[in-house]
């Protein structure tokens, strides 16, 4: 998982990232880990079985500013994609996050040299995703002069799964299936020739493996999927987005990713920092969580602890291990949520 630079007075002073429920700080060769609870992260004295299960290797990205990156990528795309894209329809997946936004910027510039139709497609995830994401995605497309198409994951099926399965868990992320299905149906409805996805290699080991073939070919197309940012760092896409005044407000709030409010792959710090985000039916979400608790977790811990630690994200065995982590931390040494928010925000200021 990629670490984000912490910028102090214009210079990179270290790096920060989340994995599982930990916040990792990298500075001067040292790595400190803090387990999150409420508005604080408490220092981890030693690695535990839970830590080892959720740990992902850190990618420390380059931090130099690539001055002409946007122009260079557009010209590379002109050279490699002119014949493939001329007269075609490109459907660009748009979440409003830095990667999909940076790719939409590149595609909008590419239209100045190559004649193709570009449609930005936003898929809303009912009940789980913040409502403000809808307006921000549409405003982004409008500012770039790109046609915008709104759709959403099947609302009836979302409610069905929430009541039958409970909230999405790691390894049981049924919401992704419904979102992907909506994208697939939209692509067919639009008759898109290519779908542009803003996935980057440095985001995770899994993404690295999937995108290596694209890197080896030095191209931007795999089958009918287009990707113009796969080899960028988080700082690369952030610079492009900042230059165009399209920073998602969640980044300014100290949240490292634009995602669903109740994404099971959000760490506890992210969930705490995003508590202010509104979803359309909080009562349904809590009811779904209560059903999960009664079926699978009542023997693990109390309801209050289950909800406070968002244990719905984990399978019951891992949830039990997560509760046990509270005994292995140093409560006298901690980092506050305001300090962590400031570190994540620093890349955008």
């Amino acid at each position: 998982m990629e670490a984000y630079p912490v910028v102090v007075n214009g210079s990179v002073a270290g790096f920060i990232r989340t994995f599982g429920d930990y916040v990792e700080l990298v500075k001067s060769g040292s790595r400190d880990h803090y387990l999150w609870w409420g508005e604080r992260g408490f220092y981890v004295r030693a690695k535990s079985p839970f830590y080892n299960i959720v740990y992902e290797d850190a990618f420390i990205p380059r931090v130099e500013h690539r001055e002409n990156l946007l122009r260079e990528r557009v010209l590379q795309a002109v050279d490699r994609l002119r014949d493939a894209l001329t007269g075609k329809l490109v459907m660009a997946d748009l979440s409003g996050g830095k990667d999909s936004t940076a790719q939409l910027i590149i595609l909008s510039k590419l239209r100045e040299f190559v004649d193709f139709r570009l449609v930005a497609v936003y898929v809303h995830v009912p009940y789980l995703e913040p409502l403000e994401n809808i307006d921000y995605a549409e405003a982004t497309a409008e500012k770039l002069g790109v046609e915008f198409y709104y759709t959403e994951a099947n609302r009836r099926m979302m409610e069905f799964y929430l009541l039958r399965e409970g909230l999405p868990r790691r390894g049981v992320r049924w919401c992704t299936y419904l979102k992907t299905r909506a994208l697939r149906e939209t692509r067919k409805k639009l008759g898109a020739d290519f779908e542009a996805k803003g996935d980057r290699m440095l985001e995770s080991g899994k993404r690295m493996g999937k995108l290596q073939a694209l890197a080896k070919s030095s191209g931007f197309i795999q089958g009918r999927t287009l990707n113009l940012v796969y080899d960028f760092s988080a700082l690369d896409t952030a610079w492009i987005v900042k230059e165009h005044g399209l920073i998602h407000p969640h980044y300014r709030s100290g949240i490292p990713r634009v995602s669903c409010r109740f994404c099971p792959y959000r760490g506890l710090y992210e969930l705490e920092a995003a508590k202010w985000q509104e979803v359309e039916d909080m009562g349904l979400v809590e009811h779904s969580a209560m059903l999960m608790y009664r079926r699978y977790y009542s023997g693990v811990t109390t309801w209050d602890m289950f909800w406070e630690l968002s244990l719905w994200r984990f399978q019951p065995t891992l949830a039990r291990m997560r509760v046990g982590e509270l005994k292995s931390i140093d409560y006298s040494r901690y980092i506050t949520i305001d300090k962590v928010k400031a570190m994540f925000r620093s890349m955008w200021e």
Side-chain angles (χ1 to χ4, degrees), residues 130-156:
L131 296 172
E132 67 265 20
N133 283 4
I134 302 171
D135 291 338
Y136 194 80
E138 185 172 11
T140 296
E142 182 179 356
K143 185 170 183 178
L144 294 173
V146 175
E147 184 179 347
F148 180 76
Y149 187 94
Y150 169 89
T151 189
E152 62 182 26
N154 187 290
R155 183 172 293 271
R156 182 181 62 81

Side-chain angles (χ1 to χ4, degrees), residues 135-195:
D135 291 338
Y136 194 80
E138 185 172 11
T140 296
E142 182 179 356
K143 185 170 183 178
L144 294 173
V146 175
E147 184 179 347
F148 180 76
Y149 187 94
Y150 169 89
T151 189
E152 62 182 26
N154 187 290
R155 183 172 293 271
R156 182 181 62 81
M157 292 301 296
M158 287 290 301
E159 186 172 355
F160 171 79
Y161 274 102
L162 282 168
L163 296 177
R164 191 188 74 170
E165 302 292 337
L167 294 171
R169 292 182 289 180
R170 297 182 180 208
V172 191
R173 199 165 54 164
W174 50 261
C175 51
T176 300
Y177 162 72
L178 294 178
K179 183 172 184 177
T180 302
R181 180 177 173 180
L183 279 170
R184 200 164 53 239
E185 291 172 351
T186 300
R187 179 171 176 171
K188 183 177 180 180
K189 182 176 181 179
L190 293 174
D193 299 288
F194 294 96
E195 182 177 358

Side-chain angles (χ1 to χ4, degrees), residues 13 21 41 53 72 88 211-212 215 220-221 264 273 283 309 311 317 340:
D21 282 355
I53 288 172
E72 290 175 0
K88 299 296 193 296
L211 295 171
Q212 279 182 337
F220 300 120
I221 292 179
L309 296 181
L311 296 177
T317 300
V340 174

Side-chain angles (χ1 to χ4, degrees), residues 245-257:
L246 291 171
I247 303 173
H248 197 289
H250 292 182
Y251 293 135
R252 296 191 185 278
S253 300
I255 300 171
R257 297 178 300 134

